[in-house]
Amino acid sequence: MTSFLRACGLSELEEDTPKRVELDGTPVSVVMTEGEVFAINDICSHANVSLSEGEVEDCQIECWLHGSAFDLRTGKPSGLPATRPVPVYPVKIEGDDVLVSLTQES
């Protein structure tokens, strides 16, 4: 059975503004965009920097350091220099709670 942890309140999220949280020692970026909430590992697969400091556009989060963008649905990079995906996690909303499972979707 998949277990979910409370990441934050839905009311704490701003459209296209990543929110960094730590769940059981795992850094996660929670993003509300295009009417959905996504959770993606907060560490860029190319350089060990926080993705939540980057910008969100077209359901992608961009690493602020070198410009690689990662799809919030799949974790796959859309271009160089990153070549490896980052983990994405299942999300469910219960009331105002954003719940995230650290079981990877990809």
Side-chain angles (χ1 to χ4, degrees):
M1 183 169 160
T2 304
S3 63
F4 284 82
L5 304 168
R6 185 182 187 279
C8 62
L10 186 60
S11 59
E12 296 174 49
L13 298 176
E14 296 179 34
E15 184 78 13
D16 296 332
T17 302
K19 179 175 182 65
R20 186 181 203 275
V21 298
E22 193 162 305
L23 302 173
D24 282 350
T26 300
V28 176
S29 183
V30 180
V31 181
M32 180 172 58
T33 187
E34 299 180 8
E36 292 187 64
V37 178
F38 300 93
I40 188 167
N41 191 284
D42 193 46
I43 304 301
C44 178
S45 64
H46 168 256
N48 191 23
V49 298
S50 175
L51 291 175
S52 62
E53 295 178 31
E55 294 185 8
V56 173
E57 186 175 336
D58 296 328
C59 213
Q60 296 186 76
I61 189 166
E62 183 180 60
C63 178
W64 62 270
L65 187 60
H66 294 115
S68 287
F70 298 88
D71 190 301
L72 291 168
R73 297 165 292 228
T74 66
K76 293 179 181 174
S78 62
L80 297 174
T83 58
R84 294 183 329 251
V86 294
V88 296
Y89 307 108
V91 173
K92 67 180 179 179
I93 309 297
E94 289 183 358
D96 186 55
D97 293 332
V98 176
L99 306 173
V100 174
S101 173
L102 294 180
T103 303
Q104 296 180 18
E105 288 187 341
S106 67

